[in-house]
Amino acid sequence: MTSPAAAGFTPGSRFYLALGDTRREFEHAHTLPGACFHDSQIFRLEQLALFERAWHPVARSEDLAKPGSYRRVELLEQPLLLTRAADGELHAHYNVCLHRGSRLIDEAQGEVQQIRCPYHAWCYALDGRLTHVPRQAEVPQRRLAAVAVAEWQGYVLVNLDPSAVPLAQQWHDLPDLSPYALPSLRLAHREVYEVRANWKLLCENYSECYHCPGSHPQLARISDYVGGGDQTAPAETHFGESFNGGPMALRENVGTMSMTGRSRLPSISSVPASDRHLVHYYVIYPNVLLSLHPDYVLLHVLTPMAPNRTRVSCDWLVLPEALAYREAIEDAVQFWDLTNRQDWQLCERNQDGVRARGYAPGPYHASEACVHGFDAWYAGWLQGALQSATTVQG
C-alpha cells in the first residue's frame, strides 16, 4: 500500500496547505480538496486512525434488555458479540473462539446462559470468561478478546481501539439531550441505505439546507430553513469539539415533520415549550447524525465502506406508547425516507464532481456555517493524522 507521504500528502504539500485553507475563518475559508473524497490512501488512513478509534452505535439497549441477551454485529469488517451478563453488565467481545478462532455465534440475536463454540465445545460465560474445556480438568484463566463498550441515550456503542478514549470524554461537550428522553424511546422503524458517495459528503449535505427549496419540496413546504427573515443563515448554529448543528423551525400551522405535517404521535412531554416548534439537527463527529423532533427522534449512523460508498442506518425513535400509532409512524417514515433518497442522489452527483480535474476548493455560501464547521474539524483531524503518519514512516 502506498503511504500518505508517498502519495503527496505530507506536511507542507499542496494538499496539506489546502487543508489549512479549509480551517481558516469562515469568511476566508475554502472547501475541502477533492482527494479527501476519493483517494484510497486518505480513506485507509481514516479507517485506521479515525473510525477504528471512534465510538459507533451498533445496537439499541432495548435489544439487550434482559440478562442472557446477546446480539451479533459487524463493525469495520470485524465480527463482534454483545452480551448482557447475569449481573446486568453489558459486554462486547470479538465473536471468535480462543481455541482455533472459530466463529462462536451465528444467529443475529437471542438469549443464552453460556456461549458454546460449535467447533470444539469450549464454553464461555457472558462476561467472556472461559469456563469449560472438554476433556481437560484445568481450565485456563482466559477471556474472549474484549472490545470497549458503552451505553448512551438508549444505544450500545463500541470502540475497536484497545486504548479507547472513554465515550463521555470523547463526546464531552454535546448539548443537553435530556429533554428528548432518548433512553426511554423505542425503535419504531429502521431503514438501511447504501449510497455511492463518500461519507463526508453526506455529513456536509446534512449540515445545510441551502439546497432544500429546490431539492426537497415536501420539506420546504413544512419547515423554514432560515430564521428571523435572514435569507442567508440558519436561525442559530452551535459548535463544539465533538459536534455542530442548529435548529430549523416548523412553519405556521405545521405540527411535525411528516408527509401530512400533522402531529399525530404523542409529544415528548419534557421538551420545553420553546422547542415544540423546532427541529434540532446535529452532526456528532465523525459519523452520527441526530435530529430531535418534538414527537420523535431520527438518528443516522454512517459507515464508510469505500472512498465512494457509505452504508447508512437510519432509526426512527418514538415514545413506548407511540408504537401503537402505526399510521402516524409511517407518515414520518415516508417523509424522511423520501428526503433521504433525495439527499443520497445529490451526494452521488457531488461524488462524481469532486473527483474530476475541474473541481477546485471554493468559498462557502453564507448559509453553510455548519458545513464549514464539519470541514474544519475534519481538516484539523486529517492534518494531525498526516503528521503522525509521516513521523512513524520517518
Side-chain angles (χ1 to χ4, degrees), residues 57 59-61 90 150-157 167-168 171 174-175 177 182-183 284 288 290 299:
R60 294 281 298 160
S61 294
L90 187 67
E151 291 187 82
W152 171 84
Q153 301 294 338
Y155 277 89
V156 177
L157 295 89
L167 177 63
W171 288 357
L174 289 182
L177 304 178
L182 270 78
I284 304 175
V288 175
L290 178 64
L299 185 135

Side-chain angles (χ1 to χ4, degrees), residues 215-261:
S215 301
H216 301 310
Q218 78 288 347
L219 189 151
R221 176 174 55 85
I222 65 174
S223 180
D224 186 7
Y225 86 100
V226 296
D230 182 353
Q231 295 301 305
T232 63
E236 296 178 52
T237 50
H238 306 284
F239 301 95
E241 293 181 10
S242 65
F243 80 99
N244 79 66
M248 287 173 55
L250 298 172
R251 295 191 183 278
E252 190 175 357
N253 299 320
V254 171
T256 190
M257 300 286 271
S258 70
M259 296 301 290
T260 64

Side-chain angles (χ1 to χ4, degrees), residues 34 37-38 195-198 201 307-309 344-359:
F37 303 105
H38 63 77
V195 188
R196 296 187 305 277
N198 185 272
L201 293 178
N308 62 348
R309 188 162 58 92
W344 307 156
Q345 290 182 354
L346 294 172
C347 292
E348 289 173 353
R349 295 176 67 90
N350 207 172
Q351 182 70 36
D352 290 340
V354 293
R355 62 175 295 111
R357 293 178 182 176
Y359 170 76

Side-chain angles (χ1 to χ4, degrees), residues 64-351:
L64 297 130
K66 301 178 182 178
S69 301
Y70 71 84
R71 188 173 183 88
R72 181 175 57 81
V73 299
E74 183 170 299
L75 175 64
L76 304 178
E77 300 183 345
Q78 296 301 312
L80 306 179
L81 187 62
L82 309 175
T83 59
R84 181 82 68 180
D87 61 1
E89 285 295 311
L90 187 67
H91 299 272
H93 300 93
Y94 287 94
N95 189 20
V96 176
C97 183
L98 294 173
H99 178 215
R100 296 253 300 279
S102 173
R103 183 173 62 252
L104 291 169
I105 287 183
D106 296 329
E107 293 76 15
Q109 62 184 32
E111 295 182 29
V112 293
Q113 294 184 336
Q114 65 176 358
I115 301 165
R116 181 181 182 276
C117 179
Y119 199 168
H120 298 100
W122 285 34
C123 296
Y124 304 88
L126 294 178
D127 62 4
R129 289 178 296 111
L130 178 63
T131 58
H132 176 69
V133 176
R135 296 185 295 277
Q136 183 172 312
E138 186 175 343
V139 178
Q141 293 186 352
R142 299 182 62 193
R143 289 178 175 269
L144 295 173
V147 175
V149 63
E151 291 187 82
W152 171 84
Q153 301 294 338
Y155 277 89
V156 177
L157 295 89
V158 296
N159 190 317
L160 297 180
D161 184 2
S163 303
V165 175
L167 177 63
Q169 184 177 335
Q170 196 165 114
W171 288 357
H172 68 96
D173 61 344
L174 289 182
D176 179 17
L177 304 178
S178 59
Y180 291 86
L182 270 78
S184 67
L185 301 185
R186 293 294 177 264
L187 180 65
H189 184 79
R190 173 172 292 158
E191 199 75 31
V192 179
Y193 308 87
E194 288 221 359
V195 188
R196 296 187 305 277
N198 185 272
W199 66 277
K200 295 183 291 297
L201 293 178
L202 277 67
C203 289
E204 291 178 342
N205 175 273
Y206 180 86
S207 297
E208 51 93 354
C209 215
Y210 184 32
H211 68 280
C212 290
S215 301
H216 301 310
Q218 78 288 347
L219 189 151
R221 176 174 55 85
I222 65 174
S223 180
D224 186 7
Y225 86 100
V226 296
D230 182 353
Q231 295 301 305
T232 63
E236 296 178 52
T237 50
H238 306 284
F239 301 95
E241 293 181 10
S242 65
F243 80 99
N244 79 66
M248 287 173 55
L250 298 172
R251 295 191 183 278
E252 190 175 357
N253 299 320
V254 171
T256 190
M257 300 286 271
S258 70
M259 296 301 290
T260 64
R262 296 195 303 271
S263 181
R264 294 180 292 172
L265 289 171
S267 296
I268 302 171
S269 61
S270 49
V271 174
S274 59
D275 283 341
R276 291 192 175 276
H277 218 60
L278 298 175
V279 179
H280 294 271
Y281 299 89
Y282 297 111
V283 178
I284 304 175
Y285 306 146
N287 63 330
V288 175
L289 313 180
L290 178 64
S291 310
L292 303 169
H293 301 244
D295 51 350
Y296 65 94
V297 169
L298 196 68
L299 185 135
H300 297 73
V301 180
L302 313 183
T303 302
M305 308 299 291
N308 62 348
R309 188 162 58 92
T310 305
R311 180 178 297 145
V312 184
S313 178
C314 182
D315 288 354
W316 284 257
L317 307 172
V318 301
L319 291 166
E321 59 269 29
L323 290 172
Y325 293 68
R326 297 313 307 177
E327 288 187 7
I329 290 171
E330 185 60 26
D331 195 11
V333 168
Q334 287 183 3
F335 177 87
W336 281 112
D337 182 58
L338 174 61
T339 305
N340 281 338
R341 293 180 189 278
Q342 292 166 340
D343 278 332
W344 307 156
Q345 290 182 354
L346 294 172
C347 292
E348 289 173 353
R349 295 176 67 90
N350 207 172
Q351 182 70 36

